[in-house]
Amino acid sequence: MNIDFLSIHDALRSISPYIHKTPMVYSNSFSKMFDAEVYIKAENLQKTGSFKVRGAFNKLMKFKTDKVIAASMGNHAQGVAFAAAGLGIKAKIVMPLTASIVKQEATKGYGAEVVLHGETFSDALNYAISQNDYTFIHAFDDEDIIAGQGTIGLEIINELQDIDVILVPVGGGGLISGISIAVKELSHKTEVIGIQTVSATSAYDSYHAKEIAERIPQPTLADGIAVGRIGDKTFEIMQKYVDDIIKVSEESIAMSVLLFLERKKLVVEGAGAVPLAALIEQKERFEGKRIVLVVSGGNIDFTLIDRIIHKGLVSSGRIGVFKVIVDDVPGGLHRITGIIAAQRGNILNVVHDRLSQDVPIGKTMVIFTVETKGAVHLEEIISAIRESGFRILQ
């Protein structure tokens, strides 16, 4: 394999005129929350809203062609489209039918022709590869792409010393492969750890089994890393340079998107939020360490963001949903709402259900949606209702 530290160094020199040197942001709030020293490498502020332009420019600048084709769920599509437009190259992008409409339109906006094909990324990939009249640009399993993404690692190490851990989102493995090569050359003691969602685990399973494992991705908030099979090249690099890969839940991803909005005023897509989700789920592992979160992108689908925020609020206990069995008589509901008010909870919604099988005659089940200060406050409200003699179903 020809990719090494020198090729990443050369890539940074080549692409620097075309990209942003994204900021490294110290987060006081995250540092206090997780008892660590937490920095954010904000690639969500990169051109096109994702790190993908780095690899795209590095690849397209390496050879002479007038037509390129790529397959992508969205961020690679935008990166290739943007880079091709900047270099005067015609681009065709194949996306699965399930790709975000927002990302489809953004890709068209950068001047590329968008073709929708298949239900999965694999379907789109196979179709793109079959188009022999175009030069194919792989999303991650390509040495020039990997070298371009690795420039993030150079920027991180050049700006911050004595880093204990760098947490990196992993889909096909191009980003973490490039970063790990650069980081291990300059800071051998720094751990590079990949993060996947439990809904798409090819990299996780492959890394730990030490052989490539193909997995069908399930629906996920982190669509940017919903890849069914990591690359051959990236697998080899990850086995050599990456220290670990861990999985995080969809609930933690939603909570992380919400935390980025609330605490840092940053719009972060699900894939970019998985490093923070790892801190949420494995806080003890990272306590006391100097940590960099690679926030890979900010191209969130705003038609889904309200659901993501709501899921994050529920996961953190900021919104609680519980059921109470109440006497179906005047004043029964008023007693419970009074208890919630006394506990300073804010009732968002109330639904009556008299027809469920577990509701006795003369009773009603009331489903409350309540805004709280957090999980502890929610439990205080529920305990107060239960102590007043009401039966609660959760």
Side-chain angles (χ1 to χ4, degrees):
M1 190 176 297
N2 295 322
I3 181 173
D4 55 16
F5 176 77
L6 181 60
S7 61
I8 295 172
H9 186 273
D10 290 342
L12 183 59
R13 183 177 56 200
S14 298
I15 69 176
S16 288
Y18 300 97
I19 66 167
H20 293 315
K21 182 179 181 294
T22 52
M24 183 97 84
V25 180
Y26 171 72
S27 174
N28 185 60
S29 56
F30 290 166
S31 296
K32 289 181 178 178
M33 188 181 301
F34 300 107
D35 297 322
E37 189 178 342
V38 181
Y39 293 81
I40 297 165
K41 179 59 172 173
E43 282 295 296
N44 58 313
L45 303 180
Q46 184 57 264
K47 292 182 179 181
T48 75
S50 163
F51 73 95
K52 290 286 190 177
V53 292
R54 294 174 181 264
F57 268 111
N58 194 50
K59 180 65 177 178
L60 294 183
M61 294 171 70
K62 287 294 182 70
F63 58 90
K64 299 295 183 181
T65 185
D66 59 352
K67 295 193 300 183
V68 297
I69 191 168
S72 172
M73 291 294 290
N75 285 339
H76 179 60
Q78 294 174 68
V80 171
F82 181 80
L87 298 172
I89 299 171
K90 180 181 178 182
K92 178 185 285 188
I93 308 297
V94 184
M95 307 177 80
L97 294 167
T98 52
S100 160
I101 293 175
V102 172
K103 292 182 179 180
Q104 293 177 34
E105 294 304 311
T107 304
K108 292 176 185 177
Y110 290 124
E113 176 188 354
V114 173
V115 176
L116 300 179
H117 181 86
E119 294 291 331
T120 67
F121 172 75
S122 295
D123 295 336
L125 177 63
N126 292 333
Y127 178 80
I129 292 173
S130 71
Q131 305 304 296
N132 296 324
D133 53 336
Y134 283 77
T135 301
F136 176 68
I137 309 296
H138 201 285
F140 49 83
D141 206 28
D142 178 281
E143 293 178 5
D144 294 323
I145 294 290
I146 293 168
Q149 322 306 25
T151 59
I152 296 172
L154 286 183
E155 291 181 3
I156 290 172
I157 297 299
N158 287 338
E159 188 162 345
L160 186 66
Q161 303 302 309
D162 300 321
I163 301 168
D164 294 305
V165 184
I166 300 176
L167 300 178
V168 187
V170 181
L175 176 61
I176 196 170
S177 293
I179 288 176
S180 63
I181 291 172
V183 169
K184 292 300 183 178
E185 176 72 23
L186 297 174
S187 180
H188 182 71
K189 293 182 179 180
T190 299
E191 286 189 289
V192 179
I193 298 176
I195 318 297
Q196 281 211 302
T197 166
V198 295
S199 301
T201 62
S202 175
Y204 175 89
D205 293 337
S206 301
Y207 179 84
H208 291 286
K210 295 182 171 52
E211 62 180 11
I212 293 178
E214 188 167 348
R215 298 288 184 265
I216 298 174
Q218 302 302 308
T220 174
L221 301 175
D223 62 323
I225 53 174
V227 176
R229 186 186 189 279
I230 63 168
D232 296 318
K233 294 181 176 67
T234 58
F235 171 74
E236 182 180 338
I237 294 169
M238 288 160 61
Q239 288 294 314
K240 184 175 182 180
Y241 292 105
V242 172
D243 295 283
D244 195 9
I245 296 182
I246 60 180
K247 297 181 291 187
V248 295
S249 69
E250 293 291 309
E251 289 75 19
S252 295
I253 296 171
M255 194 184 307
S256 298
V257 172
L258 178 63
L259 283 171
F260 274 117
L261 282 169
E262 280 193 322
R263 300 300 180 94
K264 303 308 298 180
K265 306 302 180 281
L266 288 174
V267 176
V268 176
E269 62 185 275
V274 296
L276 183 58
L279 286 188
I280 292 172
E281 294 191 5
Q282 299 195 25
K283 178 181 176 181
E284 292 183 359
R285 176 175 181 174
F286 300 112
E287 283 181 355
K289 295 184 177 182
R290 176 174 284 186
I291 301 165
V292 176
L293 311 180
V294 178
V295 178
S296 56
N299 293 318
I300 197 166
D301 186 343
F302 283 97
T303 62
L304 297 176
I305 197 167
D306 60 329
R307 281 178 270 175
I308 293 173
I309 291 173
H310 187 270
K311 189 175 182 70
L313 289 169
V314 171
S315 298
S316 64
R318 300 267 297 282
I319 290 180
V321 180
F322 52 87
K323 305 169 185 177
V324 186
I325 303 299
V326 183
D327 292 332
D328 196 10
V329 297
L333 179 62
H334 178 69
R335 285 185 60 201
I336 300 177
T337 58
I339 296 169
I340 295 173
Q343 295 292 323
R344 309 305 297 173
N346 181 32
I347 299 173
L348 301 178
N349 192 34
V350 178
V351 176
H352 288 267
D353 182 357
R354 295 176 174 86
L355 302 178
S356 293
Q357 290 183 349
D358 54 352
V359 178
I361 298 297
K363 302 280 188 179
T364 182
M365 182 167 64
V366 184
I367 305 169
F368 289 93
T369 303
V370 179
E371 181 184 10
T372 75
K373 299 174 185 177
V376 173
H377 186 206
L378 175 60
E379 187 54 40
E380 290 172 351
I381 293 171
I382 291 173
S383 295
I385 295 172
R386 187 177 286 118
E387 289 169 4
S388 297
F390 293 97
R391 179 186 168 201
I392 295 183
L393 307 175
Q394 289 181 278

